[in-house]
Amino acid sequence: MGLSYRRSILTPLRLVLLAVIMASAGVAVTKADKFTLKWYPNANYTDWDQKNNNSVHVGDWLVFQYTANQADVIQVNQSGFNTCDASNPITNYSKGRSYAIQLNEARPYYFICSLGYCYGGMKLAVVAHPLPPPSPPPAPSVSLAIAGVKPPVGSFVAAAVTALVLFRFLVT
């Protein structure tokens, strides 16, 4: 029972300890929100973003609900938005009674109705903001005191440094 036996026993132990440390430093997940708009003619959506406190973030969903054959949702660039011009759409949706789009980038998005209602205010400009910083991770549920390791202070860097020190200690 020499050095190779000792290393074969320590390998699973190292993996378990590393998994516990990394799990305790997990990053909190931000849930995507869904914003539903009643997309109707003669409604003015120009201040919708301000009314919602600019609370739209990357990953959120916009869901346009409208009456079939009476409205459409055209995603355009800023110029198309300003002039109600749908001739160069980014996306064009006119089927059914609803359209959902996920905002995947931190940037402005522009939507209009191409059936003439844009001139009356049936257009929407919304800015998808970067995600807010995640909330701190929950306290570790497994005590690391058994292994003689202090729990990380809530950052991935602390967990990585602890894992490297522990790994180095167990390898020698």
Side-chain angles (χ1 to χ4, degrees):
M1 297 208 182
L3 184 60
S4 64
Y5 175 77
R6 181 176 159 237
R7 285 185 188 225
S8 68
I9 294 288
L10 289 178
T11 300
L13 178 62
R14 279 184 285 179
L15 292 175
V16 169
L17 289 174
L18 184 60
V20 169
I21 290 168
M22 298 309 279
S24 68
V27 178
V29 177
T30 304
K31 182 182 133 233
D33 289 324
K34 178 175 83 170
F35 295 91
T36 302
L37 292 102
K38 304 291 185 187
W39 191 242
Y40 294 117
N42 303 318
N44 190 330
Y45 300 92
T46 55
D47 62 349
W48 181 88
D49 203 24
Q50 288 78 29
K51 284 182 181 177
N52 286 285
N53 299 318
N54 298 310
S55 60
V56 178
H57 294 96
V58 172
D60 288 348
W61 289 85
L62 290 180
V63 179
F64 295 85
Q65 294 181 338
Y66 53 89
T67 304
N69 301 319
Q70 291 185 4
D72 60 7
V73 181
I74 310 296
Q75 184 182 359
V76 294
N77 61 21
Q78 185 176 13
S79 175
F81 176 82
N82 292 335
T83 60
C84 291
D85 180 10
S87 62
N88 291 315
I90 296 170
T91 61
N92 178 346
Y93 196 81
S94 60
K95 298 177 183 171
R97 298 180 309 181
S98 67
Y99 173 64
I101 182 169
Q102 187 172 27
L103 308 176
N104 292 321
E105 296 178 36
R107 65 176 179 86
Y109 290 82
Y110 302 98
F111 303 94
I112 65 172
C113 176
S114 70
L115 302 180
Y117 301 115
C118 177
Y119 298 105
M122 195 171 173
K123 60 184 188 175
L124 172 71
V126 62
V127 177
H129 298 282
L131 290 172
S135 57
S141 59
V142 177
S143 174
L144 297 177
I146 297 170
V149 178
K150 291 184 179 179
V153 293
S155 72
F156 179 76
V157 174
V161 169
T162 304
L164 287 173
V165 169
L166 184 62
F167 179 77
R168 186 74 175 155
F169 173 75
L170 291 175
V171 168
T172 58

